[in-house]
């Protein structure tokens, strides 16, 4: 008899949620830390942090931003379920128990207004978010999926 962890329960453990926090470092510079669900992976955390950089730029009255520093990491979120299978004849096989790591991404960004010569090489926050940038700026949260 094989016992398996229900797929919906595993998805809930792996899915979790995603979020970002912002700490002002100067009037035109902020640090963003994005934490993504394990299912999002490190790429999801990167995308989340980058989108949040664009959102914060617009919310703070700026138009463009440059990433000054980036740092990736991860936080232990638990282990995958252990599954036990009876192979018969007194033989039992156990699998699972691997660590689950929730990725995070830190960015330090400097923001500029359009026309500022120091920001001539900076990225457009509106272009980064795409044609529906206004809706994304209004949202309280951004997801990695």
């Amino acid at each position: 008899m094989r016992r398996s962890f229900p797929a919906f329960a595993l998805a809930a453990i792996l899915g979790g949620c995603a979020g970002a926090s912002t700490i002002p470092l100067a009037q035109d510079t902020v640090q963003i830390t994005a934490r993504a669900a394990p299912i999002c992976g490190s790429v999801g955390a990167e995308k989340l942090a980058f989108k949040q950089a664009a959102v914060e730029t617009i919310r703070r009255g700026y138009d463009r931003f440059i990433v000054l520093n980036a740092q990736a990491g991860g936080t232990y979120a638990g282990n995958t379920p252990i599954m036990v299978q009876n192979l018969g004849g007194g033989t039992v096989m156990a699998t699972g128990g691997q660590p689950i790591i929730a990725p995070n991404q830190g960015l330090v960004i400097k923001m500029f207004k359009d026309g500022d010569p120091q920001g001539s090489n900076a990225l457009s926050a509106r272009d980064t978010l795409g044609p529906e940038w206004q809706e994304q700026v209004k949202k309280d949260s951004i997801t990695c999926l």
Side-chain angles (χ1 to χ4, degrees):
M1 171 197 287
R2 181 176 183 202
R3 293 185 182 221
S4 64
F5 207 68
F8 69 88
L10 182 59
I13 289 171
L14 295 177
C17 56
S21 60
T22 303
I23 299 172
L25 302 176
Q27 289 185 8
D28 62 353
T29 308
V30 296
Q31 175 182 311
I32 295 168
T33 303
R35 291 163 211 79
I39 197 167
C40 295
S42 59
V43 172
E46 290 169 0
K47 288 179 181 180
L48 179 64
F50 197 68
K51 281 184 179 181
Q52 189 66 30
V55 166
E56 286 296 327
T57 297
I58 296 168
R59 284 183 181 166
R60 293 171 184 270
Y62 292 90
D63 306 295
R64 308 176 82 68
F65 68 97
I66 290 177
V67 176
L68 300 176
N69 190 8
Q71 185 172 0
T75 304
Y76 173 76
N79 290 63
T80 59
I82 295 176
M83 294 190 250
V84 178
Q85 182 178 8
N86 184 346
L87 300 176
T91 305
V92 177
M93 180 175 74
T95 59
Q98 289 83 15
I100 300 171
I101 305 298
N104 58 53
Q105 176 71 50
L107 298 178
V108 174
I109 64 163
K110 183 171 178 69
M111 302 169 287
F112 303 91
K113 294 192 183 264
D114 279 339
D116 183 338
Q118 290 184 335
S120 62
N121 197 32
L123 301 168
S124 166
R126 288 167 184 80
D127 289 351
T128 297
L129 295 173
E132 297 179 4
W133 65 268
Q134 292 170 321
E135 287 78 22
Q136 292 190 47
V137 171
K138 288 179 188 175
K139 290 182 186 178
D140 285 337
S141 63
I142 298 175
T143 180
C144 65
L145 301 175

